[in-house]
Structure formats: C-alpha cells, structure tokens
Amino acid sequence: GAFYINDPIKRYMEVSKTCVNDNVIDLHFQSTKTFSNVLSEILPQKLCDHDEVWIVTGSGHHVNRRSHQKGGGALEFAVLDWLEEEGYNFYRGRDNCGHSGAVLVREI
C-alpha cells in the first residue's frame, strides 16, 4: 500500500486515487517531514483549477501513544504553520465531534 512508498509525491498520487473530489489534497501517509514537498507541488496546481481546496490531514486523535506516529494533530499544526508562512488564506474545519483534521484553502 501507500505506506511503503518512499517518494512523497508518488505516495500522494497513490492515496489520491481513492479521492472522489478533485479539490481535495489527502495527506494521509505523509509526515511532518514530507507534507511540504506535496503541498509545494500540488496545492498551486489545484488552486489554478479550483477557487478553494481542502487539505485533509487527519486530527491525530486516534493515534496510539506507543506508536512511532506523533499524535495530537502534529501534521495538522505543521500544515497550518506552513500555510501561514507561505501566505495562504485558510480556515480550519471541524467535524460534528469537534475534531479538526481538514483545512480549507482559498486563492491568495
């Protein structure tokens, strides 16, 4: 599966095969070290085709504390920091339980 693909862009492409909407960037299986490679390449392309793009990070609320993964939404916070540094206009999304894990980005 996608977990074993080393290249972040190829991993993103594999994950995005299951995504129904073209204005979504699903960062599942990306890390705080690899997500910026994906966003740098994919986000500008998506924003050329769409007025707004959803970035799915996951909230990290289900991550096992004994896992190698950083829980507590580490990826989401890294993405939010990156978007701010890059000057993007964005809003955090929340589900019915109050969990975040997706970010809406609008054209600059």
Side-chain angles (χ1 to χ4, degrees):
F3 182 79
Y4 297 103
I5 300 172
N6 288 329
D7 181 83
I9 300 297
K10 290 180 182 175
R11 190 178 326 126
Y12 163 76
M13 296 298 195
E14 182 65 24
V15 169
S16 68
K17 287 179 183 177
T18 62
C19 191
V20 177
N21 297 319
D22 188 48
N23 69 330
V24 173
I25 298 174
D26 189 339
L27 293 179
H28 280 94
F29 299 108
Q30 299 295 336
S31 71
T32 56
K33 294 178 182 176
T34 64
F35 80 89
S36 60
N37 297 328
V38 174
L39 290 184
S40 294
E41 185 169 328
I42 305 298
L43 185 56
Q45 295 172 12
K46 295 276 187 186
L47 284 171
C48 281
D49 297 334
H50 305 282
D51 292 335
E52 53 187 37
V53 174
W54 282 98
I55 300 172
V56 178
T57 62
S59 64
H61 71 277
H62 65 281
V63 173
N64 184 330
R65 291 182 187 208
R66 288 182 264 173
S67 165
H68 70 284
Q69 294 178 298
K70 294 179 183 175
L75 180 59
E76 181 183 20
F77 289 118
V79 167
L80 293 171
D81 287 345
W82 185 88
L83 290 169
E84 189 167 322
E85 287 173 15
E86 296 295 316
Y88 284 99
N89 188 12
F90 63 92
Y91 306 91
R92 286 178 78 185
R94 295 203 181 275
D95 67 13
N96 291 338
C97 296
H99 296 126
S100 52
V103 182
L104 178 65
V105 180
R106 296 212 167 121
E107 276 190 294
I108 298 174

